[in-house]
Amino acid sequence: MTEPTTASTAAKGGFDLGQGPGRLLVWLYGVFTVAAASRSVVQMILDFGRAPLAYVLSAAAAVVYAFITYSLVRGGNTARRAALVCCAAELAGVLLVGTWTVVEPSAFPDATVWSDFGMGYLFIPVILPVTAMMWLRRAGQQDTAN
């Protein structure tokens, strides 16, 4: 049963990103996609005028999470590079929004997924992209070695 995986992995360009620890990343990013999307949709429908910036940022986070999830599932070098870029953008967003919410809390009457560096989500939003980038770099090194 490993032959189809090996054949499809080779066809995609090497290392299967959704295997091993990559499966946990796929699962976490999938959960965060649903959490951020559902939260932002409900908030935008019920009370968009209260904190539009926060709700739009949560929706943007959901889009980033969804793209990273898709890239990890797709696998291959191109998807790995795209996921790496998105993880770096995600980390930059978490650091920017996290700093902004600490320095100027009045700018965010309601929290985003990335507020206070993801404190409302057990800091997973700041830990996840770092972990994913480490995994993606390792995957790239293994692809180069093969």
Side-chain angles (χ1 to χ4, degrees):
M1 191 153 177
T2 58
E3 278 185 5
T5 304
T6 306
S8 66
T9 302
K12 290 187 249 181
F15 193 80
D16 190 354
L17 300 174
Q19 297 300 311
R23 277 192 181 165
L24 178 60
L25 289 174
V26 167
W27 185 83
L28 285 169
Y29 272 111
V31 167
F32 268 78
T33 299
V34 172
S38 58
R39 174 184 180 155
S40 64
V41 167
V42 168
Q43 289 172 323
M44 285 193 266
I45 289 171
L46 296 179
D47 202 14
F48 185 73
R50 180 168 177 239
L53 178 61
Y55 304 153
V56 169
L57 285 172
S58 287
V63 170
V64 171
Y65 293 147
F67 185 79
I68 293 169
T69 303
Y70 169 76
S71 296
L72 291 170
V73 168
R74 185 166 190 278
N77 278 328
T78 304
R80 183 188 62 78
R81 285 188 211 108
L84 197 54
V85 169
C86 282
C87 286
E90 174 195 358
L91 181 60
V94 172
L95 295 176
L96 177 71
V97 172
T99 302
W100 193 358
T101 56
V102 169
V103 171
E104 186 66 40
S106 63
F108 294 89
D110 206 353
T112 73
V113 176
W114 295 341
S115 291
D116 300 313
F117 307 101
M119 184 169 65
Y121 291 88
L122 304 174
F123 296 103
I124 294 172
V126 77
I127 296 166
L128 193 56
V130 173
T131 306
M133 287 189 294
M134 289 171 35
W135 170 248
L136 290 164
R137 286 180 49 86
R138 179 174 173 241
Q141 290 169 350
Q142 283 186 342
D143 252 354
T144 308
N146 290 337

